[in-house]
Amino acid sequence: MSIFMWWFLISGLLFFFGAAVGSFLNVLIERSIEERNWIRGRSACDFCGHKLAWYDNIPLLSFVFLKGRCRYCRKKIHPSHILMEVLTGVLFVWWFWGGFIILNIFRLVHQPFRFVQPLFWLLVAVLLLVIVVYDLRYLLIPDWTLWLLLSLTLFYRVMLVLGGVMQVEDLVKSLVAAALAAGFLSFLWLITLGKGMGLGDVKLIIPLSLLVSWRLVLLALVGAFIVGAVSSLALLFFGRLKWQKPVPFGPYLVVGFLTVLFFGDQILNWYLSWFML
Ligand SMILES: [Zn+2]
């Protein structure tokens, strides 16, 4: 078999493995939100409470064969289940192609980060996916996802400093930028009496700020507000949203920060070029 065939075979296997991880994360999130025991007890249908057998719980396949409905009461299963499974699978494939093949085989990253770095971004991406999907569904962000994300980003930044890739000064500036951003959001949280955004959003901005250069934190925040305003207006226009109804802000923050992570420098240069004409 050629190397490409192997790569595709591995991609397929990783997709199913990722889908299984996504399915497991669904269970963890639902149990942590309902404050049930994380480990014990079998999964049950949200509607009829019927215990699910192992063959009702196979990632992707069960959803397809049961046409997205419960086998026992025929009620529709929430789309967040299949969404998490498919997208986590996609992230694992992305990790393999982007992180493993491109970075490692073409050697774009220096030791010791060749294996740590792609793994770090996979974990961050999966956590951000969990946060976005469940903020959209429940309007809250579970604390354990935020703690995990914060520990990961802090650990990674400290590793970069110890590895000599980044200066201590940059880490300090990032921490200050994160604190300022969190301060600004807590101010908004206070004056809107918690109606504009949740405390989860205030906590979320700290690890997000540590993921990007300190220069880009403000730009990401502005981006999040623009995306939030535009999409809220669009949803209002199409009648999918009512005034006064709370809006999840976490997904907009994630979109804002991911945008500057990938395109921040270009956006900043483009913006600055207007002043240098
Ligand atoms: Zn059911």
Side-chain angles (χ1 to χ4, degrees):
M1 232 171 19
S2 77
I3 185 87
F4 285 107
M5 289 297 289
W6 277 110
W7 285 356
F8 278 106
L9 186 70
I10 294 171
S11 302
L13 290 174
L14 274 173
F15 181 71
F16 275 97
F17 180 71
V21 171
S23 170
F24 174 69
L25 287 169
N26 270 328
V27 174
L28 274 192
I29 290 277
E30 290 194 339
R31 288 187 182 182
S32 71
I33 282 170
E34 292 160 16
E35 292 182 338
R36 279 192 291 148
N37 193 305
W38 277 28
I39 316 292
R40 261 186 298 162
R42 294 203 345 249
S43 303
C45 169
D46 292 338
F47 302 102
C48 63
H50 198 294
K51 289 263 187 294
L52 299 179
W54 64 269
Y55 49 79
D56 296 324
N57 251 336
I58 306 168
L60 306 170
L61 297 180
S62 294
F63 192 90
V64 173
F65 285 124
L66 296 170
K67 298 192 180 70
R69 286 168 189 278
C70 168
R71 185 194 301 277
Y72 309 99
C73 66
R74 309 301 303 158
K75 287 235 169 67
K76 264 201 172 137
I77 298 167
H78 198 277
S80 68
H81 284 263
I82 192 70
L83 202 66
M84 275 297 296
E85 289 172 5
V86 171
L87 292 179
T88 312
V90 169
L91 285 178
F92 271 70
V93 174
W94 161 79
W95 166 74
F96 180 60
W97 285 92
F100 190 76
I101 296 182
I102 297 177
L103 289 184
N104 283 308
I105 294 181
F106 299 103
R107 306 201 168 194
L108 293 180
V109 181
H110 300 293
Q111 289 286 17
F113 295 103
R114 268 209 261 148
F115 289 95
V116 176
Q117 206 165 30
L119 196 63
F120 168 77
W121 287 109
L122 174 65
L123 289 172
V124 166
V126 170
L127 273 173
L128 289 181
L129 177 65
V130 167
I131 289 170
V132 167
V133 168
Y134 283 89
D135 197 14
L136 286 172
R137 181 172 170 188
Y138 295 105
L139 289 171
L140 64 88
I141 305 173
D143 273 334
W144 65 271
T145 58
L146 293 167
W147 280 116
L148 216 54
L149 190 63
L150 182 64
S151 325
L152 262 175
T153 40
L154 272 177
F155 173 75
Y156 179 69
R157 292 296 299 263
V158 170
M159 284 278 286
L160 286 178
V161 171
L162 292 179
V165 179
M166 204 168 253
Q167 307 292 316
V168 185
E169 212 183 284
D170 291 320
L171 179 58
V172 173
K173 281 179 182 164
S174 280
L175 287 169
V176 172
L180 285 176
F184 174 64
L185 286 198
S186 1
F187 172 69
L188 287 185
W189 178 73
L190 277 174
I191 58 167
T192 57
L193 303 167
K195 281 182 186 127
M197 62 184 56
L199 211 48
D201 302 316
V202 178
K203 296 182 208 161
L204 176 62
I205 196 140
I206 298 171
L208 285 179
S209 302
L210 293 177
L211 283 175
V212 300
S213 157
W214 61 273
R215 289 178 194 83
L216 300 173
V217 171
L218 180 64
L219 189 65
L221 210 50
V222 172
F225 280 106
I226 293 175
V227 176
V230 169
S231 66
S232 298
L233 284 177
L235 286 171
L236 272 174
F237 182 76
F238 291 110
R240 295 294 303 271
L241 195 76
K242 304 269 181 291
W243 288 111
Q244 305 292 331
K245 212 182 153 226
V247 180
F249 192 58
Y252 301 132
L253 283 177
V254 173
V255 169
F257 275 88
L258 287 184
T259 308
V260 302
L261 186 65
F262 291 112
F263 308 109
D265 291 322
Q266 285 98 309
I267 297 172
L268 213 57
N269 287 338
W270 172 80
Y271 180 73
L272 290 177
S273 70
W274 286 94
F275 296 97
M276 293 170 190
L277 289 175

